Amino acid sequence: MKLGKRSNKSTARRQVDVLVVGGGVTGAGVGYGLARKGVKVCVIDDTPSVDRASRSNMGLIWVQSKALGVPEYMRWGFNSSRLFPELVRELEDASGIHIPYNPTGGLIPTVGEAEYASRSNYIEGLKKEAGSFGYNGSMISRSELEKLLPKIRFGEEVCGAAWCEEDGFLEPLKMMFAMRKGMVNHGGQFIPECRALSVAREGAGYVVKTSAGEIACEKLVLAGGLSNRQLGSWFDVRVPVTPDRAQDLLTERVNEKVLPIPVLGLCQTPGGTIMVGYKHEYVGTDTGFTPEAVASEGRWATSVWPDLAKLRVIRCWSCLRVMPKDGLPIYDTVPGHKNVFVFNCHSAVTLAGIHSATLPDYVLTGALPEDGRIFKLSRFDKTEGHEEEDE
Ligand SMILES: Cc1cc2nc3c(=O)[nH]c(=O)nc-3n(C[C@H](O)[C@H](O)[C@H](O)COP(=O)(O)OP(=O)(O)OC[C@H]3O[C@@H](n4cnc5c(N)ncnc54)[C@H](O)[C@@H]3O)c2cc1C
């Protein structure tokens, strides 16, 4: 549907300063930050069908492998991780919801010498690019890895790992619910099961027709995950995000904390189950599940941790990541609409720290910190992208 003009006002219409379409971790975080500043904000969230990433992720705060060739993104990630202690404290106070948060560091074990060498090269590259900012990560030997995770008997071929103390784990659903509740407690509105259907321009603002009536706003934030492709089309703008399918498996509970430090692709949930998943598949919006893919994840996981094979698998599922074409975030306004914002990214859990510190101000003033300014839509006119190797 294209942008139209409208004149007839509905009486039942809500009026807000900012309307955020999409109440996943990105939209809820922006809504929370705006409400905290006293802005009259409303976040609407459709019943998720395709856009389930905020409800199916691993909860890693993962910065150590972001991202060779883009030092701005590396700094953005590390700075985000450093903002979590304050964000978690603040969200817990605002919402009354406890958010399990473990800034334990994170590990990428290497299986075989070739993998160790290639990971070392990657880390060396990141260190060079970090310059005076510094890169707080390193390669460690097998014996150092064993000291960090003494309850794991590693596979014979594991010869070491990449280690970064600024990674960690956070319970992502609790954070998202805390953002929503914190926003409401600060005076914002959250409307669940509400779908944005169309938009029309009215004066200097916009009126969005939703399944729960019309909402008029001065500023509009599109934070609909993969659905930003449709929402962008309202304004004739192409939002190049791609569904990137993950297939995960979950084992039965292990009573003790065997994995106090998360491993990329393998982590222990607060409930004690072990979650495995690292695959990236580009199969459109197909959320099908293939036993072969899950079996190959199991093979990889047991090559790292052979005793995992003794645990029963209790659940497998697939879900879609929201992957910008080059793996980097998108923070921009729509051409010709300086009050309509497009926010998309992979790793929105990791980036929640920096998002809550910067995106509300971006919506209010149009200003982003320097590192954030490269993440414009216009880059897709010229780039083919780099390799994304995250959660
Ligand atoms: C398997 C998996 C593991 C991951 N692991 C990690 C991890 O460990 N760490 C990390 O940082 N990231 C991880 N991610 C990525 C992270 O989950 C996503 O980056 C994040 O969820 C994106 O959030 P979002 O709010 O931008 O989009 P979404 O989660 O897609 O939310 C968008 C919301 O918008 C709503 N919406 C869409 N259209 C409309 C409409 N028309 N009207 C109203 N509402 C609408 C949807 O219902 C949805 O709730 C993982 C993702 C997956 C799939």
Side-chain angles (χ1 to χ4, degrees), residues 22 24-26 45-46 53-54 57-58 60 194 196 227 345 347-350:
V25 67
T26 304
D45 195 47
D46 196 7
S54 292
N57 64 74
M58 283 215 166
L60 300 178
C194 173
S227 292
C345 68
S347 296
V349 175
T350 302

Side-chain angles (χ1 to χ4, degrees), residues 206-354:
Y206 298 87
V207 177
V208 175
K209 195 165 162 197
T210 80
S211 52
E214 287 186 345
I215 306 176
C217 58
E218 285 163 27
K219 298 189 181 211
L220 178 62
V221 175
L222 308 181
L226 289 168
S227 292
N228 266 6
R229 294 176 298 177
Q230 280 91 54
L231 302 178
S233 72
W234 289 349
F235 300 92
D236 275 335
V237 71
R238 196 175 70 90
V239 182
V241 286
T242 309
D244 170 342
R245 186 170 72 178
Q247 299 202 38
D248 290 347
L249 61 92
L250 194 75
T251 73
E252 65 184 314
R253 235 174 265 281
V254 181
N255 286 332
E256 56 178 343
K257 191 82 191 156
V258 285
L259 265 179
I261 300 174
V263 162
L264 190 62
L266 188 58
C267 71
Q268 190 169 19
T269 65
T273 53
I274 310 287
M275 196 164 156
V276 180
Y278 66 89
K279 266 194 184 305
H280 293 254
E281 298 174 307
Y282 295 93
V283 289
T285 50
D286 176 0
T287 50
F289 160 85
T290 53
E292 299 76 21
V294 174
S296 81
E297 298 201 295
R299 275 194 297 278
W300 166 79
T302 52
S303 73
V304 173
W305 177 13
D307 289 340
L308 192 66
K310 294 179 188 157
L311 297 175
R312 270 183 317 135
V313 172
I314 56 168
R315 225 185 118 203
C316 301
W317 68 95
S318 79
C319 45
L320 302 175
R321 299 181 186 88
V322 184
M323 194 59 80
K325 277 267 160 63
D326 60 359
L328 304 173
I330 298 170
Y331 315 121
D332 208 348
T333 51
V334 169
H337 297 268
K338 68 177 178 12
N339 287 328
V340 180
F341 297 81
V342 180
F343 296 150
N344 269 117
C345 68
H346 177 53
S347 296
V349 175
T350 302
L351 297 178
I354 195 110

Side-chain angles (χ1 to χ4, degrees), residues 29-99:
V30 172
Y32 165 75
L34 288 167
R36 196 172 148 264
K37 288 172 181 287
V39 175
K40 194 170 174 197
V41 59
C42 175
V43 175
I44 62 171
D45 195 47
D46 196 7
T47 309
S49 48
V50 164
D51 304 289
R52 298 190 57 81
S54 292
R55 292 158 186 81
S56 48
N57 64 74
M58 283 215 166
L60 300 178
I61 296 169
W62 202 263
V63 299
Q64 67 164 288
S65 44
K66 288 183 172 62
L68 195 57
V70 196
E72 293 87 348
Y73 190 37
M74 175 174 57
R75 293 192 291 265
W76 201 243
F78 274 97
N79 284 330
S80 187
S81 166
R82 289 167 196 175
L83 289 164
F84 270 94
E86 195 187 325
L87 176 65
V88 168
R89 210 170 26 246
E90 201 191 85
L91 283 172
E92 288 187 336
D93 283 352
S95 66
I97 295 173
H98 171 57
I99 307 170

